Amino acid sequence: MKAKRNDKNAKEQGKDLRRGKDKSTDLPEKTDKPERPPRDVRQIEGKNPVLEALRSDVTIEKIMVAKGRRETGNTEIFDLAKERNIKIQMVDRKKLDYSTKTGNHQGIIAVATNFSYYEPEQMIQKAKDLGEDPFIVVLDQLTDPHNFGAIIRSADACGVHGIIITKNRSVDLTPIAVKASAGAAEHMMIGKVTNLAQTLQDLKEKGFWIGGADMSGEAYYNTNLKGPLAIVIGSEGKGIGRLVKENCDFTISIPMYGNMESLNASVAAGVLFCEAARQRKGER
Ligand SMILES: C[S@@+](CC[C@H](N)C(=O)[O-])C[C@H]1O[C@@H](n2cnc3c(N)ncnc32)[C@H](O)[C@@H]1O
């Protein structure tokens, strides 16, 4: 017989009215659940990001592909996955819709090990190995993952050896940033530092010129961007912070001829990186 919801006596005796059971006797003893170690993995979403991850040395656990996608231009992904012995799981599109972190998986999600972050010294070493002057980009508390992704993509195109971001109040390498980079993030060394002003001082001691991108600087096409160089890009809201600006050797500006005071951070970064690449690669 069902216990009534308002059976006061039963409640007072500690009975579970929903199941007609005695709470005091039937409940299992509380035990501390063993803590699950966090899985050191991330999701890479979309065709280009997955393809770039396969082309890089990123360790990929598996790739999930929406059923029916094999025929629609994923041949290279399938071939590379086979070559690298990576499991491809054909799944219902709904499963991808459910687990997507970008909202735009394009029918393909890879599960890969998390990013490793790099020290500025490793970026400098990379340049040395290539026989080039180091070219580093510094982002002063950028917050938009789409801007971050676009900057990584332009940086890769222009021969940047590494990007330094701040540990606090900054965007990170989220699946959205990686997607926005079209997978360029898989090839770029990214470093995180606590004290950007200190990092700039360290770079200066290593012979770097630090150029801060700012609307009130010298026109970029009149600026020498050769040699060991770090270009600082400011945040979307407040631009380059005071202390960071004080540690710049010069400021570089893209003249503004319209009504707006500034460009989007990633657009400004793209223009300046291209000019730096033009000067550094000796093109006219
Ligand atoms: C959206 S802007 C920041 C605007 C901010 N309100 C300010 O006053 O600095 C983001 C960053 O993009 C870069 N930027 C934007 N427009 C630029 C320009 N015309 N010349 C050089 N850098 C620019 C700067 O690094 C700037 O800090």
Side-chain angles (χ1 to χ4, degrees):
M1 198 178 80
K2 262 190 187 171
K4 285 183 191 155
R5 279 189 78 191
N6 59 356
D7 187 344
K8 246 178 133 193
N9 273 348
K11 244 185 175 179
E12 276 158 16
Q13 286 159 21
K15 299 220 165 131
D16 184 334
L17 298 180
R18 287 161 303 178
R19 297 182 207 140
K21 285 180 184 171
D22 190 338
K23 267 187 188 170
S24 53
T25 52
D26 274 11
L27 280 180
E29 277 200 8
K30 256 195 175 177
T31 50
D32 283 335
K33 254 192 182 174
E35 265 200 21
R36 238 178 155 184
R39 288 181 75 215
D40 201 20
V41 293
R42 64 190 167 103
Q43 281 188 191
I44 306 172
E45 305 189 3
K47 200 174 154 182
N48 283 332
V50 171
L51 190 55
E52 291 309 324
L54 280 165
R55 286 176 179 156
S56 75
D57 54 7
V58 169
T59 307
I60 298 173
E61 229 176 59
K62 65 172 178 184
I63 299 173
M64 293 182 285
V65 180
K67 282 176 188 157
R69 295 291 293 187
R70 181 184 278 271
E71 311 78 34
T72 52
N74 284 324
T75 332
E76 201 177 347
I77 290 179
F78 278 82
D79 289 350
L80 279 171
K82 197 172 170 197
E83 218 172 85
R84 288 184 52 178
N85 222 3
I86 295 165
K87 184 170 84 183
I88 291 201
Q89 223 178 13
M90 303 305 292
V91 298
D92 271 351
R93 197 178 182 89
K94 273 190 191 146
K95 184 175 164 129
L96 301 185
D97 290 343
Y98 180 74
S99 59
T100 181
K101 306 221 182 299
T102 64
N104 186 13
H105 54 67
Q106 298 174 312
I108 186 155
I109 294 181
V111 179
T113 50
N114 259 334
F115 281 104
S116 316
Y117 290 91
Y118 294 85
E119 297 298 325
E121 287 70 26
Q122 291 172 288
M123 302 172 188
I124 296 169
Q125 188 57 49
K126 181 182 176 184
K128 251 192 202 163
D129 294 345
L130 293 166
E132 296 171 359
D133 280 329
F135 180 14
I136 288 178
V137 168
V138 176
L139 304 180
D140 186 6
Q141 301 190 341
L142 208 82
T143 52
D144 182 333
H146 292 100
N147 280 343
F148 187 28
I151 288 176
I152 298 172
R153 189 174 183 175
S154 302
D156 175 76
C158 296
V160 168
H161 301 109
I163 300 179
I164 296 173
I165 59 175
T166 51
K167 268 192 189 136
N168 301 317
R169 278 173 276 167
S170 164
V171 67
D172 208 339
L173 275 168
T174 61
I176 293 183
V178 174
K179 178 97 181 42
S181 82
E186 308 300 340
H187 305 288
M188 183 59 65
M189 283 186 166
I190 311 275
K192 276 187 185 179
V193 299
T194 325
N195 186 338
L196 212 49
Q198 183 60 54
T199 303
L200 294 183
Q201 278 175 29
D202 294 346
L203 288 177
K204 277 203 256 191
E205 274 168 29
K206 292 186 167 76
F208 275 73
W209 289 96
I210 316 289
D214 193 82
M215 288 70 75
S216 62
E218 175 77 17
Y220 69 98
Y221 41 75
N222 291 331
T223 312
N224 183 352
L225 299 173
K226 291 178 181 171
L229 175 74
I231 292 185
V232 184
I233 304 292
S235 71
E236 296 87 350
K238 66 176 178 62
I240 301 181
R242 184 185 53 82
L243 207 59
V244 172
K245 210 182 247 180
E246 277 170 16
N247 278 287
C248 292
D249 295 304
F250 57 91
T251 43
I252 339 159
S253 179
I254 304 157
M256 303 285 296
Y257 299 110
N259 297 299
M260 306 305 287
E261 276 180 9
S262 66
L263 292 164
N264 165 283
S266 69
V267 173
V271 171
L272 299 175
F273 299 170
C274 283
E275 173 62 12
R278 186 189 69 81
Q279 291 186 21
R280 301 166 74 82
K281 305 282 176 195
E283 286 167 25
R284 280 158 209 288

